Structure formats: structure tokens, C-alpha cells
Amino acid sequence: MLMDGQKKMEYFNIYIAVINIITLFLYGEDKRRAKKGKWRISENMLIGCALIGGSFGALFGMRVFHHKTKHKKFIFGIPLILALQIIIYVSCFW
């Protein structure tokens, strides 16, 4: 049985919420580990989470934890990813 559009949208919104919470947590955890000199979460993982839908969580994590705010690929890349995802979302769902 195929899902209707409403159900797909609900699942999509849940996915976006969860991936953003996870991404925010990863940015906070990486900052904590950086302060303690422990093993770090890779930059590829942090950017990858933004690419798969966690861009708002990444940007929020950068601001809240003051993390990755001096790396150009983060200060330009994460907002660019977020802007592109918003454009895609709006063009697909409105």
C-alpha cells in the first residue's frame, strides 16, 4: 500500500527534526572533546550530517557552542547548504 502525501510529509518532518537534533548533539560533543583533548568527530562527519538534512542543527550548534566558527568551509559551507536545502524544500513542497 502506498503512503499518501500527508503521511510522507509527516515522516519527512520527523526525519528532519531527528537529524537536526543529532547534528546539534554532534557539534556539542565535538566541542566538548576538543576542550578535553580527546578523540574528535571528523569534519567530514559534521559536514555530512548537515548535507543529509541537519544543516539547521549544524548552524545552530556552531553558534551555541562557538564551534568551527573559524573554519571557512563551515562558516560559508553550512549556511550555503542550509539555503540550498530551504530552496529545494520550498520548490518541492509548495
Side-chain angles (χ1 to χ4, degrees), residues 8-75:
K8 287 180 186 177
M9 189 63 148
E10 286 178 32
Y11 286 132
F12 178 76
N13 288 335
I14 291 168
Y15 168 77
I16 291 298
V18 169
I19 193 63
N20 277 284
I21 291 167
I22 290 169
T23 303
L24 176 64
F25 170 78
L26 288 175
Y27 274 72
E29 180 62 16
D30 191 50
K31 179 66 175 198
R32 186 185 69 78
R33 291 178 183 186
K35 285 182 175 181
K36 293 186 175 199
K38 292 187 173 183
W39 172 85
R40 305 280 303 281
I41 297 167
S42 74
E43 289 185 349
N44 287 339
M45 172 68 85
L46 296 173
I47 291 172
C49 286
L51 283 170
I52 64 169
S55 55
F56 179 77
L59 190 60
F60 192 63
M62 288 173 62
R63 301 290 182 244
V64 169
F65 302 115
H66 305 285
H67 192 48
K68 300 292 186 187
T69 56
K70 295 181 182 176
H71 295 80
K72 287 183 182 181
K73 64 182 164 184
F74 284 89
I75 60 174

Short mmCIF file of all heavy atoms in Angstrom, two decimals, residues 8-75:
data_model
loop_
_atom_site.label_atom_id
_atom_site.label_comp_id
_atom_site.label_asym_id
_atom_site.label_seq_id
_atom_site.Cartn_x
_atom_site.Cartn_y
_atom_site.Cartn_z
N LYS A 8 3.71 10.99 4.02
CA LYS A 8 5.10 11.18 3.61
C LYS A 8 5.67 12.46 4.22
O LYS A 8 6.81 12.48 4.67
CB LYS A 8 5.21 11.24 2.09
CG LYS A 8 5.03 9.92 1.40
CD LYS A 8 5.17 10.10 -0.09
CE LYS A 8 4.85 8.81 -0.82
NZ LYS A 8 4.91 8.98 -2.28
N MET A 9 4.87 13.51 4.20
CA MET A 9 5.31 14.78 4.75
C MET A 9 5.56 14.67 6.26
O MET A 9 6.53 15.23 6.77
CB MET A 9 4.27 15.86 4.45
CG MET A 9 4.75 17.23 4.78
SD MET A 9 6.14 17.63 3.77
CE MET A 9 5.94 19.34 3.60
N GLU A 10 4.71 13.95 6.96
CA GLU A 10 4.89 13.74 8.40
C GLU A 10 6.21 13.02 8.67
O GLU A 10 6.97 13.43 9.55
CB GLU A 10 3.74 12.93 8.98
CG GLU A 10 2.45 13.70 9.13
CD GLU A 10 1.32 12.82 9.66
OE1 GLU A 10 1.60 11.89 10.45
OE2 GLU A 10 0.17 13.06 9.26
N TYR A 11 6.46 11.95 7.93
CA TYR A 11 7.71 11.20 8.11
C TYR A 11 8.92 12.04 7.77
O TYR A 11 9.95 12.00 8.45
CB TYR A 11 7.70 9.91 7.29
CG TYR A 11 6.81 8.83 7.85
CD1 TYR A 11 5.93 8.15 7.02
CD2 TYR A 11 6.85 8.49 9.19
CE1 TYR A 11 5.11 7.15 7.53
CE2 TYR A 11 6.03 7.50 9.71
CZ TYR A 11 5.17 6.84 8.87
OH TYR A 11 4.36 5.85 9.38
N PHE A 12 8.80 12.83 6.72
CA PHE A 12 9.91 13.71 6.32
C PHE A 12 10.20 14.73 7.42
O PHE A 12 11.36 14.96 7.77
CB PHE A 12 9.58 14.41 5.00
CG PHE A 12 10.66 15.37 4.57
CD1 PHE A 12 11.83 14.89 4.02
CD2 PHE A 12 10.49 16.73 4.71
CE1 PHE A 12 12.84 15.77 3.62
CE2 PHE A 12 11.49 17.62 4.32
CZ PHE A 12 12.66 17.13 3.77
N ASN A 13 9.17 15.33 7.97
CA ASN A 13 9.35 16.32 9.04
C ASN A 13 9.97 15.69 10.28
O ASN A 13 10.80 16.31 10.94
CB ASN A 13 8.04 17.01 9.36
CG ASN A 13 7.60 17.96 8.27
OD1 ASN A 13 8.42 18.47 7.52
ND2 ASN A 13 6.31 18.19 8.17
N ILE A 14 9.56 14.48 10.61
CA ILE A 14 10.16 13.77 11.75
C ILE A 14 11.64 13.52 11.48
O ILE A 14 12.49 13.73 12.35
CB ILE A 14 9.40 12.47 12.04
CG1 ILE A 14 8.01 12.78 12.59
CG2 ILE A 14 10.19 11.58 13.01
CD1 ILE A 14 7.07 11.59 12.65
N TYR A 15 11.95 13.07 10.26
CA TYR A 15 13.35 12.82 9.90
C TYR A 15 14.17 14.10 10.05
O TYR A 15 15.25 14.08 10.64
CB TYR A 15 13.45 12.29 8.46
CG TYR A 15 14.87 12.31 7.94
CD1 TYR A 15 15.78 11.33 8.35
CD2 TYR A 15 15.32 13.32 7.10
CE1 TYR A 15 17.09 11.36 7.91
CE2 TYR A 15 16.63 13.35 6.67
CZ TYR A 15 17.51 12.38 7.07
OH TYR A 15 18.80 12.41 6.65
N ILE A 16 13.67 15.20 9.52
CA ILE A 16 14.40 16.47 9.58
C ILE A 16 14.63 16.88 11.04
O ILE A 16 15.72 17.32 11.41
CB ILE A 16 13.66 17.58 8.79
CG1 ILE A 16 13.73 17.27 7.29
CG2 ILE A 16 14.22 18.96 9.08
CD1 ILE A 16 15.13 17.25 6.70
N ALA A 17 13.63 16.74 11.87
CA ALA A 17 13.78 17.10 13.29
C ALA A 17 14.84 16.23 13.95
O ALA A 17 15.72 16.73 14.66
CB ALA A 17 12.44 16.96 14.01
N VAL A 18 14.78 14.93 13.71
CA VAL A 18 15.73 14.00 14.35
C VAL A 18 17.16 14.25 13.87
O VAL A 18 18.08 14.32 14.69
CB VAL A 18 15.30 12.53 14.11
CG1 VAL A 18 16.38 11.56 14.53
CG2 VAL A 18 14.00 12.23 14.85
N ILE A 19 17.36 14.40 12.56
CA ILE A 19 18.72 14.59 12.05
C ILE A 19 19.30 15.92 12.54
O ILE A 19 20.50 16.03 12.80
CB ILE A 19 18.81 14.45 10.51
CG1 ILE A 19 20.27 14.34 10.06
CG2 ILE A 19 18.15 15.60 9.79
CD1 ILE A 19 21.01 13.14 10.55
N ASN A 20 18.47 16.93 12.72
CA ASN A 20 18.96 18.20 13.24
C ASN A 20 19.33 18.11 14.71
O ASN A 20 20.32 18.70 15.15
CB ASN A 20 17.96 19.32 12.98
CG ASN A 20 18.11 19.87 11.59
OD1 ASN A 20 19.04 20.62 11.31
ND2 ASN A 20 17.22 19.49 10.69
N ILE A 21 18.57 17.37 15.48
CA ILE A 21 18.91 17.16 16.90
C ILE A 21 20.20 16.38 17.02
O ILE A 21 21.09 16.72 17.82
CB ILE A 21 17.75 16.45 17.63
CG1 ILE A 21 16.56 17.41 17.75
CG2 ILE A 21 18.19 15.96 19.01
CD1 ILE A 21 15.26 16.74 18.17
N ILE A 22 20.35 15.35 16.21
CA ILE A 22 21.58 14.55 16.23
C ILE A 22 22.78 15.41 15.84
O ILE A 22 23.83 15.36 16.47
CB ILE A 22 21.46 13.32 15.29
CG1 ILE A 22 20.48 12.31 15.88
CG2 ILE A 22 22.82 12.68 15.03
CD1 ILE A 22 20.07 11.20 14.92
N THR A 23 22.62 16.21 14.79
CA THR A 23 23.71 17.07 14.33
C THR A 23 24.10 18.08 15.39
O THR A 23 25.29 18.30 15.65
CB THR A 23 23.33 17.76 13.01
OG1 THR A 23 22.98 16.77 12.04
CG2 THR A 23 24.47 18.61 12.48
N LEU A 24 23.12 18.70 16.01
CA LEU A 24 23.39 19.64 17.10
C LEU A 24 24.17 18.95 18.21
O LEU A 24 25.17 19.48 18.71
CB LEU A 24 22.08 20.22 17.64
CG LEU A 24 22.19 21.15 18.84
CD1 LEU A 24 22.98 22.40 18.50
CD2 LEU A 24 20.80 21.50 19.35
N PHE A 25 23.75 17.75 18.58
CA PHE A 25 24.44 16.98 19.62
C PHE A 25 25.89 16.71 19.21
O PHE A 25 26.81 16.84 20.02
CB PHE A 25 23.71 15.67 19.89
CG PHE A 25 24.50 14.73 20.75
CD1 PHE A 25 24.56 14.91 22.12
CD2 PHE A 25 25.21 13.68 20.20
CE1 PHE A 25 25.31 14.06 22.93
CE2 PHE A 25 25.95 12.82 20.99
CZ PHE A 25 26.00 13.01 22.35
N LEU A 26 26.11 16.34 17.94
CA LEU A 26 27.47 16.04 17.47
C LEU A 26 28.38 17.26 17.55
O LEU A 26 29.55 17.14 17.93
CB LEU A 26 27.44 15.49 16.05
CG LEU A 26 26.90 14.08 15.89
CD1 LEU A 26 26.80 13.71 14.41
CD2 LEU A 26 27.78 13.07 16.62
N TYR A 27 27.87 18.42 17.21
CA TYR A 27 28.68 19.64 17.31
C TYR A 27 29.03 19.93 18.77
O TYR A 27 30.16 20.31 19.08
CB TYR A 27 27.94 20.83 16.69
CG TYR A 27 28.19 20.94 15.20
CD1 TYR A 27 27.60 20.03 14.32
CD2 TYR A 27 29.00 21.92 14.66
CE1 TYR A 27 27.82 20.10 12.95
CE2 TYR A 27 29.22 22.01 13.29
CZ TYR A 27 28.63 21.09 12.45
OH TYR A 27 28.85 21.17 11.10
N GLY A 28 28.08 19.76 19.66
CA GLY A 28 28.35 19.97 21.08
C GLY A 28 29.34 18.96 21.62
O GLY A 28 30.25 19.30 22.38
N GLU A 29 29.18 17.71 21.21
CA GLU A 29 30.08 16.66 21.68
C GLU A 29 31.50 16.88 21.15
O GLU A 29 32.47 16.69 21.86
CB GLU A 29 29.56 15.29 21.24
CG GLU A 29 30.41 14.12 21.66
CD GLU A 29 30.55 13.95 23.16
OE1 GLU A 29 29.78 14.53 23.94
OE2 GLU A 29 31.48 13.22 23.58
N ASP A 30 31.62 17.30 19.90
CA ASP A 30 32.94 17.55 19.34
C ASP A 30 33.62 18.71 20.06
O ASP A 30 34.82 18.67 20.33
CB ASP A 30 32.86 17.83 17.83
CG ASP A 30 34.23 17.84 17.19
OD1 ASP A 30 35.01 16.88 17.41
OD2 ASP A 30 34.55 18.80 16.47
N LYS A 31 32.86 19.73 20.39
CA LYS A 31 33.42 20.87 21.14
C LYS A 31 33.89 20.41 22.52
O LYS A 31 34.96 20.79 22.98
CB LYS A 31 32.37 21.98 21.27
CG LYS A 31 32.84 23.19 22.05
CD LYS A 31 33.96 23.91 21.34
CE LYS A 31 34.33 25.19 22.08
NZ LYS A 31 35.07 26.11 21.25
N ARG A 32 33.08 19.57 23.17
CA ARG A 32 33.46 19.06 24.50
C ARG A 32 34.75 18.26 24.41
O ARG A 32 35.66 18.44 25.22
CB ARG A 32 32.34 18.19 25.06
CG ARG A 32 32.57 17.71 26.50
CD ARG A 32 31.49 16.75 26.95
NE ARG A 32 31.56 15.48 26.27
CZ ARG A 32 32.43 14.49 26.57
NH1 ARG A 32 33.31 14.67 27.53
NH2 ARG A 32 32.42 13.36 25.90
N ARG A 33 34.84 17.42 23.41
CA ARG A 33 36.05 16.61 23.23
C ARG A 33 37.26 17.48 22.90
O ARG A 33 38.37 17.18 23.33
CB ARG A 33 35.83 15.57 22.13
CG ARG A 33 34.86 14.50 22.52
CD ARG A 33 34.64 13.53 21.39
NE ARG A 33 33.63 12.53 21.73
CZ ARG A 33 33.35 11.50 20.95
NH1 ARG A 33 33.99 11.31 19.81
NH2 ARG A 33 32.43 10.65 21.33
N ALA A 34 37.05 18.53 22.12
CA ALA A 34 38.16 19.43 21.78
C ALA A 34 38.73 20.09 23.03
O ALA A 34 39.94 20.21 23.18
CB ALA A 34 37.68 20.49 20.80
N LYS A 35 37.85 20.50 23.92
CA LYS A 35 38.30 21.14 25.16
C LYS A 35 39.08 20.18 26.05
O LYS A 35 39.99 20.59 26.76
CB LYS A 35 37.09 21.67 25.95
CG LYS A 35 36.49 22.92 25.38
CD LYS A 35 35.34 23.38 26.26
CE LYS A 35 34.78 24.70 25.80
NZ LYS A 35 33.69 25.15 26.68
N LYS A 36 38.70 18.89 26.00
CA LYS A 36 39.36 17.89 26.85
C LYS A 36 40.54 17.21 26.18
O LYS A 36 41.18 16.35 26.77
CB LYS A 36 38.35 16.85 27.29
CG LYS A 36 37.29 17.41 28.22
CD LYS A 36 36.40 16.34 28.76
CE LYS A 36 35.44 16.95 29.77
NZ LYS A 36 34.87 15.95 30.65
N GLY A 37 40.81 17.58 24.93
CA GLY A 37 41.93 16.98 24.20
C GLY A 37 41.70 15.51 23.85
O GLY A 37 42.65 14.74 23.74
N LYS A 38 40.46 15.13 23.68
CA LYS A 38 40.11 13.73 23.38
C LYS A 38 39.92 13.54 21.88
O LYS A 38 39.95 14.49 21.10
CB LYS A 38 38.83 13.34 24.11
CG LYS A 38 38.99 13.25 25.61
CD LYS A 38 37.75 12.70 26.23
CE LYS A 38 37.98 12.45 27.71
NZ LYS A 38 36.82 11.84 28.34
N TRP A 39 39.69 12.27 21.50
CA TRP A 39 39.40 11.91 20.12
C TRP A 39 38.22 12.72 19.63
O TRP A 39 37.24 12.90 20.33
CB TRP A 39 39.12 10.40 20.04
CG TRP A 39 38.63 9.96 18.71
CD1 TRP A 39 39.38 9.63 17.62
CD2 TRP A 39 37.26 9.79 18.32
NE1 TRP A 39 38.56 9.27 16.57
CE2 TRP A 39 37.26 9.35 16.97
CE3 TRP A 39 36.04 9.96 18.95
CZ2 TRP A 39 36.09 9.10 16.28
CZ3 TRP A 39 34.88 9.71 18.25
CH2 TRP A 39 34.92 9.27 16.93
N ARG A 40 38.33 13.23 18.39
CA ARG A 40 37.34 14.15 17.85
C ARG A 40 36.44 13.51 16.80
O ARG A 40 36.78 12.51 16.20
CB ARG A 40 38.05 15.33 17.18
CG ARG A 40 39.03 16.07 18.08
CD ARG A 40 38.36 17.03 19.01
NE ARG A 40 37.58 18.02 18.30
CZ ARG A 40 38.07 19.09 17.70
NH1 ARG A 40 39.35 19.36 17.74
NH2 ARG A 40 37.27 19.93 17.06
N ILE A 41 35.32 14.11 16.58
CA ILE A 41 34.42 13.73 15.49
C ILE A 41 34.97 14.39 14.23
O ILE A 41 35.30 15.57 14.24
CB ILE A 41 32.98 14.19 15.80
CG1 ILE A 41 32.47 13.49 17.06
CG2 ILE A 41 32.07 13.94 14.60
CD1 ILE A 41 31.20 14.06 17.65
N SER A 42 35.06 13.64 13.15
CA SER A 42 35.68 14.17 11.93
C SER A 42 34.85 15.30 11.33
O SER A 42 33.62 15.33 11.45
CB SER A 42 35.88 13.06 10.90
OG SER A 42 34.64 12.70 10.31
N GLU A 43 35.56 16.21 10.66
CA GLU A 43 34.87 17.30 9.97
C GLU A 43 33.97 16.75 8.87
O GLU A 43 32.90 17.30 8.61
CB GLU A 43 35.89 18.28 9.39
CG GLU A 43 36.58 19.10 10.45
CD GLU A 43 37.50 20.17 9.89
OE1 GLU A 43 37.77 20.16 8.66
OE2 GLU A 43 37.95 21.01 10.67
N ASN A 44 34.39 15.66 8.23
CA ASN A 44 33.55 15.04 7.20
C ASN A 44 32.22 14.56 7.79
O ASN A 44 31.18 14.68 7.14
CB ASN A 44 34.27 13.88 6.53
CG ASN A 44 35.36 14.35 5.60
OD1 ASN A 44 35.37 15.48 5.15
ND2 ASN A 44 36.30 13.47 5.31
N MET A 45 32.25 14.03 8.98
CA MET A 45 31.02 13.59 9.65
C MET A 45 30.13 14.78 9.96
O MET A 45 28.92 14.74 9.73
CB MET A 45 31.34 12.82 10.93
CG MET A 45 30.12 12.49 11.77
SD MET A 45 29.03 11.31 11.01
CE MET A 45 29.80 9.81 11.51
N LEU A 46 30.71 15.85 10.47
CA LEU A 46 29.94 17.04 10.82
C LEU A 46 29.30 17.67 9.58
O LEU A 46 28.12 18.02 9.60
CB LEU A 46 30.83 18.06 11.55
CG LEU A 46 31.38 17.61 12.91
CD1 LEU A 46 32.36 18.63 13.44
CD2 LEU A 46 30.27 17.35 13.90
N ILE A 47 30.06 17.79 8.51
CA ILE A 47 29.52 18.35 7.27
C ILE A 47 28.53 17.37 6.64
O ILE A 47 27.49 17.77 6.12
CB ILE A 47 30.65 18.72 6.30
CG1 ILE A 47 31.43 19.92 6.85
CG2 ILE A 47 30.10 19.05 4.90
CD1 ILE A 47 32.68 20.27 6.09
N GLY A 48 28.84 16.08 6.69
CA GLY A 48 27.95 15.07 6.14
C GLY A 48 26.57 15.09 6.78
O GLY A 48 25.55 14.96 6.10
N CYS A 49 26.54 15.28 8.09
CA CYS A 49 25.25 15.37 8.79
C CYS A 49 24.46 16.59 8.32
O CYS A 49 23.24 16.52 8.19
CB CYS A 49 25.46 15.41 10.29
SG CYS A 49 25.93 13.82 10.99
N ALA A 50 25.15 17.67 8.04
CA ALA A 50 24.47 18.86 7.50
C ALA A 50 23.92 18.55 6.11
O ALA A 50 22.79 18.93 5.79
CB ALA A 50 25.43 20.04 7.44
N LEU A 51 24.69 17.85 5.31
CA LEU A 51 24.27 17.54 3.94
C LEU A 51 23.03 16.65 3.88
O LEU A 51 22.23 16.77 2.96
CB LEU A 51 25.41 16.88 3.17
CG LEU A 51 26.52 17.80 2.69
CD1 LEU A 51 27.70 16.99 2.17
CD2 LEU A 51 26.00 18.75 1.62
N ILE A 52 22.88 15.76 4.83
CA ILE A 52 21.74 14.84 4.80
C ILE A 52 20.51 15.40 5.52
O ILE A 52 19.57 14.68 5.82
CB ILE A 52 22.09 13.43 5.32
CG1 ILE A 52 22.50 13.46 6.78
CG2 ILE A 52 23.16 12.79 4.45
CD1 ILE A 52 22.61 12.07 7.42
N GLY A 53 20.53 16.70 5.79
CA GLY A 53 19.34 17.35 6.34
C GLY A 53 19.54 18.05 7.67
O GLY A 53 18.65 18.72 8.15
N GLY A 54 20.72 17.94 8.26
CA GLY A 54 20.95 18.53 9.57
C GLY A 54 21.61 19.89 9.53
O GLY A 54 22.29 20.29 10.49
N SER A 55 21.40 20.64 8.46
CA SER A 55 22.10 21.92 8.31
C SER A 55 21.68 22.96 9.35
O SER A 55 22.52 23.73 9.83
CB SER A 55 21.91 22.46 6.90
OG SER A 55 20.54 22.56 6.59
N PHE A 56 20.41 22.97 9.73
CA PHE A 56 19.99 23.92 10.76
C PHE A 56 20.64 23.56 12.09
O PHE A 56 21.13 24.44 12.81
CB PHE A 56 18.47 23.96 10.91
CG PHE A 56 18.02 24.91 11.97
CD1 PHE A 56 18.02 26.27 11.74
CD2 PHE A 56 17.62 24.46 13.22
CE1 PHE A 56 17.62 27.17 12.74
CE2 PHE A 56 17.24 25.33 14.22
CZ PHE A 56 17.24 26.70 13.97
N GLY A 57 20.66 22.28 12.43
CA GLY A 57 21.31 21.84 13.66
C GLY A 57 22.80 22.16 13.66
O GLY A 57 23.36 22.53 14.69
N ALA A 58 23.43 22.04 12.49
CA ALA A 58 24.85 22.36 12.37
C ALA A 58 25.08 23.85 12.61
O ALA A 58 25.97 24.24 13.39
CB ALA A 58 25.37 21.95 11.00
N LEU A 59 24.30 24.68 11.95
CA LEU A 59 24.45 26.12 12.10
C LEU A 59 24.14 26.56 13.53
O LEU A 59 24.88 27.36 14.13
CB LEU A 59 23.54 26.86 11.11
CG LEU A 59 23.75 28.35 10.98
CD1 LEU A 59 25.18 28.66 10.52
CD2 LEU A 59 22.75 28.94 10.00
N PHE A 60 23.10 26.01 14.10
CA PHE A 60 22.75 26.32 15.49
C PHE A 60 23.85 25.86 16.44
O PHE A 60 24.23 26.58 17.36
CB PHE A 60 21.41 25.66 15.83
CG PHE A 60 20.80 26.13 17.12
CD1 PHE A 60 20.43 27.45 17.29
CD2 PHE A 60 20.60 25.25 18.17
CE1 PHE A 60 19.87 27.89 18.48
CE2 PHE A 60 20.05 25.67 19.37
CZ PHE A 60 19.69 26.99 19.53
N GLY A 61 24.40 24.66 16.20
CA GLY A 61 25.50 24.15 17.02
C GLY A 61 26.74 25.01 16.93
O GLY A 61 27.44 25.22 17.92
N MET A 62 27.03 25.51 15.73
CA MET A 62 28.17 26.41 15.57
C MET A 62 28.01 27.65 16.42
O MET A 62 28.96 28.13 17.03
CB MET A 62 28.33 26.80 14.09
CG MET A 62 28.85 25.69 13.20
SD MET A 62 28.84 26.13 11.45
CE MET A 62 29.97 27.53 11.43
N ARG A 63 26.79 28.18 16.45
CA ARG A 63 26.53 29.41 17.22
C ARG A 63 26.48 29.14 18.72
O ARG A 63 27.08 29.87 19.51
CB ARG A 63 25.21 30.04 16.78
CG ARG A 63 25.14 30.40 15.33
CD ARG A 63 26.05 31.58 15.00
NE ARG A 63 25.92 31.91 13.59
CZ ARG A 63 26.91 31.81 12.72
NH1 ARG A 63 28.10 31.38 13.09
NH2 ARG A 63 26.72 32.14 11.46
N VAL A 64 25.76 28.13 19.12
CA VAL A 64 25.59 27.84 20.55
C VAL A 64 26.90 27.44 21.21
O VAL A 64 27.24 27.91 22.30
CB VAL A 64 24.53 26.74 20.76
CG1 VAL A 64 24.52 26.24 22.18
CG2 VAL A 64 23.15 27.25 20.37
N PHE A 65 27.65 26.55 20.55
CA PHE A 65 28.88 26.02 21.14
C PHE A 65 30.12 26.78 20.70
O PHE A 65 31.23 26.43 21.12
CB PHE A 65 29.02 24.53 20.79
CG PHE A 65 27.86 23.70 21.25
CD1 PHE A 65 27.03 23.06 20.34
CD2 PHE A 65 27.57 23.56 22.60
CE1 PHE A 65 25.96 22.30 20.75
CE2 PHE A 65 26.50 22.80 23.03
CZ PHE A 65 25.69 22.17 22.10
N HIS A 66 29.96 27.81 19.86
CA HIS A 66 31.09 28.57 19.32
C HIS A 66 32.13 27.60 18.76
O HIS A 66 33.30 27.64 19.11
CB HIS A 66 31.71 29.48 20.39
CG HIS A 66 30.71 30.38 21.02
ND1 HIS A 66 30.21 31.49 20.38
CD2 HIS A 66 30.07 30.33 22.22
CE1 HIS A 66 29.33 32.10 21.16
NE2 HIS A 66 29.22 31.41 22.28
N HIS A 67 31.64 26.73 17.90
CA HIS A 67 32.47 25.64 17.39
C HIS A 67 32.57 25.70 15.87
O HIS A 67 31.57 25.91 15.20
CB HIS A 67 31.87 24.30 17.83
CG HIS A 67 32.78 23.13 17.63
ND1 HIS A 67 34.09 23.15 18.01
CD2 HIS A 67 32.58 21.92 17.07
CE1 HIS A 67 34.65 21.99 17.71
NE2 HIS A 67 33.74 21.23 17.13
N LYS A 68 33.76 25.53 15.36
CA LYS A 68 34.06 25.55 13.92
C LYS A 68 33.76 26.91 13.31
O LYS A 68 33.48 27.01 12.13
CB LYS A 68 33.28 24.45 13.18
CG LYS A 68 33.58 23.05 13.66
CD LYS A 68 34.98 22.66 13.32
CE LYS A 68 35.25 21.21 13.67
NZ LYS A 68 36.65 20.85 13.51
N THR A 69 33.85 27.96 14.11
CA THR A 69 33.50 29.30 13.63
C THR A 69 34.67 30.01 12.96
O THR A 69 34.51 31.13 12.49
CB THR A 69 32.97 30.16 14.79
OG1 THR A 69 33.95 30.20 15.82
CG2 THR A 69 31.66 29.62 15.33
N LYS A 70 35.83 29.37 12.90
CA LYS A 70 36.99 29.97 12.23
C LYS A 70 37.38 29.19 10.98
O LYS A 70 38.33 29.54 10.31
CB LYS A 70 38.17 30.05 13.18
CG LYS A 70 37.92 31.00 14.34
CD LYS A 70 39.09 31.09 15.26
CE LYS A 70 38.76 32.02 16.42
NZ LYS A 70 39.82 32.09 17.40
N HIS A 71 36.64 28.14 10.67
CA HIS A 71 36.92 27.31 9.50
C HIS A 71 36.04 27.78 8.35
O HIS A 71 34.81 27.71 8.45
CB HIS A 71 36.64 25.83 9.81
CG HIS A 71 37.54 25.26 10.85
ND1 HIS A 71 37.34 25.46 12.19
CD2 HIS A 71 38.64 24.48 10.74
CE1 HIS A 71 38.27 24.83 12.87
NE2 HIS A 71 39.08 24.23 12.01
N LYS A 72 36.66 28.21 7.26
CA LYS A 72 35.89 28.76 6.13
C LYS A 72 34.89 27.77 5.56
O LYS A 72 33.78 28.15 5.18
CB LYS A 72 36.83 29.26 5.05
CG LYS A 72 37.54 30.52 5.44
CD LYS A 72 38.40 31.05 4.34
CE LYS A 72 39.11 32.29 4.85
NZ LYS A 72 39.95 32.90 3.84
N LYS A 73 35.28 26.48 5.52
CA LYS A 73 34.33 25.52 4.95
C LYS A 73 33.08 25.37 5.82
O LYS A 73 32.04 24.95 5.34
CB LYS A 73 34.98 24.18 4.66
CG LYS A 73 35.49 23.40 5.83
CD LYS A 73 36.14 22.12 5.32
CE LYS A 73 37.01 21.47 6.35
NZ LYS A 73 37.69 20.30 5.81
N PHE A 74 33.17 25.73 7.07
CA PHE A 74 32.00 25.70 7.94
C PHE A 74 31.25 27.04 7.92
O PHE A 74 30.02 27.04 7.80
CB PHE A 74 32.40 25.35 9.37
CG PHE A 74 32.70 23.89 9.56
CD1 PHE A 74 33.98 23.41 9.36
CD2 PHE A 74 31.71 22.99 9.91
CE1 PHE A 74 34.27 22.06 9.51
CE2 PHE A 74 31.98 21.65 10.07
CZ PHE A 74 33.27 21.18 9.86
N ILE A 75 31.97 28.16 8.02
CA ILE A 75 31.27 29.45 8.10
C ILE A 75 30.59 29.82 6.78
O ILE A 75 29.62 30.57 6.79
CB ILE A 75 32.18 30.59 8.61
CG1 ILE A 75 33.38 30.81 7.70
CG2 ILE A 75 32.60 30.35 10.03
CD1 ILE A 75 34.22 32.02 8.09
#
